[in-house]
Amino acid sequence: MTTITRTAVTSEPIHEILAERWSPRSFDTSVDVPEAKITAALEAARWSASASNTQPWRFIVARRGTAEHATIVENLMGFNQAWAVSAHVLVVNLAVTAEDGTPLRWAQYDLGQAVAHLSVQAHHDGLHVHQMGGIEIDGLRAAFALDPALEPMSVTALGVLGAPEALASDVLREREVAPRRRRPLDELVLVSA
């Protein structure tokens, strides 16, 4: 198993799981993720907070080697296809944009929270997650015959960390080991009274 430490440099200490979490592109194809860890990640998402407890999230979960996994890979944009194919699980994250004809204005926000919970649980369980917004929305809609109220927002790649050398391109390998960067906190907090 590959181990790469990329601890976040923070202005104040944060929880170790959050400080150590990062988004790799290299996943070890020789290691299968136990079903219990996949279920735990999905349970963490299920128990996320949501406005009025609407829980406006749905997931398509596809394991490597299935037709569904291949379909999701086909509907990734650009170089995401090159590396995401090695992830043990690909999850299409769907926002429920309306309920009984009423638009759910906060659905995307709540879905984001649910996927964040999924990511933290996965990291806690020794897995890694990489989020992708570069997806073919219409392709995913058609491939999975989605109801119009279900909006594909992102795809989550989930698996066991692989070696950077396993990535096919120099660009991807460089990104895998590049220093982590974030905007300074004083650029993000607009008002603090």
Side-chain angles (χ1 to χ4, degrees), residues 127-164:
L127 304 174
H128 280 78
V129 167
H130 189 111
Q131 305 294 331
M132 293 168 276
I135 62 174
E136 297 287 350
I137 293 170
D138 292 338
L140 289 167
R141 279 187 179 289
F144 293 103
L146 296 176
D147 182 282
L150 294 175
E151 180 73 19
M153 298 305 303
S154 62
V155 170
T156 301
L158 185 147
V160 173
L161 182 64

Side-chain angles (χ1 to χ4, degrees), residues 20-121:
E20 295 292 330
R21 186 220 58 81
W22 63 284
S23 302
R25 291 176 181 85
S26 183
F27 291 96
D28 189 338
T29 58
S30 70
V31 180
D32 288 334
V33 175
E35 283 299 313
K37 290 185 179 185
I38 297 169
T39 301
L42 293 167
E43 279 290 351
R46 181 169 81 104
W47 286 98
S48 176
S50 65
S52 299
N53 199 28
T54 53
Q55 304 163 50
W57 48 73
R58 302 294 183 272
F59 305 103
I60 296 169
V61 181
R63 287 145 186 88
R64 189 176 53 241
T66 65
E68 293 80 5
H69 190 279
T71 296
I72 295 169
V73 170
E74 290 169 9
N75 286 285
L76 298 175
M77 294 178 163
F79 69 85
N80 286 339
Q81 287 185 344
W83 63 264
V85 69
S86 67
H88 182 78
V89 175
L90 293 175
V91 180
V92 179
N93 305 303
L94 306 159
V96 180
T97 59
E99 188 172 76
D100 299 326
T102 303
L104 299 178
R105 176 181 81 72
W106 55 84
Q108 293 176 14
Y109 177 85
D110 286 347
L111 172 63
Q113 285 196 97
V115 175
H117 279 64
L118 180 151
S119 297
V120 170
Q121 182 65 44

